[in-house]
Amino acid sequence: MPCDERPPRAIAHVTSADEEALRLLERGELELLGLLPRSSNYTFLAKATDGAADVLAVYKPRRGEAPLWDFTPGTLCQREVAAFVVADALGWPTVPPTVLRDGPEGPGSVQRFVEFDPRQHFFTMQDERPDDFRRVALFDAVVNNADRKSGHCLLSTQGLPFCIDHGVCFHEEPKLRTVIWDFAGDAVPPDLLEDLRRFEERLSAPALRSALGDLLTQLEIAAMQARLVEVIAAGRFPEPGDDRPYPWPPV
């Protein structure tokens, strides 16, 4: 999809603040503030400005993506956006508003920057927030997250957990690699199972199908739907497979 053509909006659960952030991320003038450290791909801290309003953002240009043997080159930015679309339609977990657009370094994903406590990540929060991480584990199973490190689960300075870095999700082949296997084999709580069922129904909605179709292949969407149906039918959290179920490094 050309990045100057925005995918149809399929947002259901964003707050008014998120709507304003999405507007700025989509339309604001993007100014680069610097490279973010410890990233495998080129990742910039940026500011999107429209008039007197602005928002900090994380900008990942397509041309800065490191090539991967098992993911189509140039698609990681689209997968970042698809993860936000799915998380919003599902209702969890919290993924910051993310759009696909052109920028100073070319087309890429632009995600609202959330201030966070650098001391906190999954390993430090897992005992106190099991319900939050049940949602993350199920989300990762549905989107086939191949790289859920502990440091991809953060705590905002307002005390709210959120998830980032979803560029290697949605592969059609099984690739789930995560540090969150705490619930493997457990029954999925009824309220989360109902959320999954509602999401399965929403996948037939034209706006959502169109939005995902502009970001993923039809084979990838069908594979996600198959994983969703499998989790619902089993009613249990998936268990790790034999082929590298953990990411490296874990944090």
Side-chain angles (χ1 to χ4, degrees):
M1 182 194 75
C3 284
D4 56 353
E5 298 178 13
R6 299 183 183 92
R9 182 67 62 80
I11 307 305
H13 294 91
V14 295
T15 65
S16 58
D18 285 341
E19 281 286 1
E20 174 63 7
L22 280 165
R23 184 187 70 80
L24 289 169
L25 295 174
E26 288 176 341
R27 304 177 186 177
E29 181 178 354
L30 207 59
E31 174 191 0
L32 302 187
L33 302 179
L35 277 169
L36 291 173
R38 298 184 296 278
S39 297
S40 56
N41 302 302
Y42 277 105
T43 303
F44 294 90
L45 180 65
K47 181 167 67 173
T49 305
D50 185 15
D54 61 65
V55 64
L56 288 177
V58 176
Y59 167 46
K60 297 181 178 181
R62 175 176 289 148
R63 69 183 183 185
E65 295 175 2
L68 301 172
W69 71 269
D70 51 350
F71 283 84
T72 303
T75 66
L76 305 193
C77 57
Q78 295 169 205
R79 298 170 194 277
E80 291 272 9
V81 181
F84 167 65
V85 172
V86 168
D88 180 75
L90 179 55
W92 41 260
T94 300
V95 175
T98 314
V99 303
L100 188 68
R101 58 164 288 179
D102 203 1
E105 294 294 322
S109 64
V110 182
Q111 182 176 85
R112 185 183 66 186
F113 176 80
V114 179
E115 292 189 16
F116 62 95
D117 182 346
R119 301 167 299 179
Q120 301 291 342
H121 49 84
F122 169 69
F123 291 140
T124 67
M125 295 188 288
Q126 63 186 119
D127 293 337
E128 297 179 357
R129 296 179 175 271
D131 289 342
D132 290 323
F133 291 118
R134 285 187 180 90
R135 291 173 172 83
V136 177
L138 286 171
F139 172 78
D140 286 343
V142 170
V143 303
N144 197 20
N145 193 343
D147 191 37
R148 175 62 76 197
K149 295 181 173 69
S150 181
H152 296 168
C153 299
L154 301 172
L155 188 69
S156 75
T157 52
Q158 285 74 42
L160 302 174
F162 65 100
C163 301
I164 60 170
D165 285 348
H166 298 103
V168 288
C169 294
F170 299 105
H171 201 286
E172 63 267 23
E173 298 176 3
K175 289 185 178 290
L176 182 59
R177 299 187 190 104
T178 175
V179 294
I180 311 176
W181 290 112
D182 307 54
F183 316 108
D186 291 356
V188 177
D191 59 327
L192 301 187
L193 202 56
E194 184 57 31
D195 288 343
L196 292 172
R197 292 193 182 101
R198 281 196 292 265
F199 175 61
E200 183 188 9
E201 294 174 0
R202 290 189 184 118
L203 276 176
S204 62
L208 182 56
R209 296 289 295 195
S210 180
L212 290 174
D214 283 328
L215 300 165
L216 306 171
T217 69
Q218 291 304 308
L219 184 59
E220 288 167 342
I221 295 171
M224 177 182 67
Q225 194 158 15
R227 291 190 297 269
L228 177 61
V229 169
E230 184 178 355
V231 171
I232 292 171
R236 294 190 174 277
F237 287 83
E239 301 197 36
D242 297 329
D243 184 22
R244 291 184 57 207
Y246 294 94
W248 188 261
V251 177

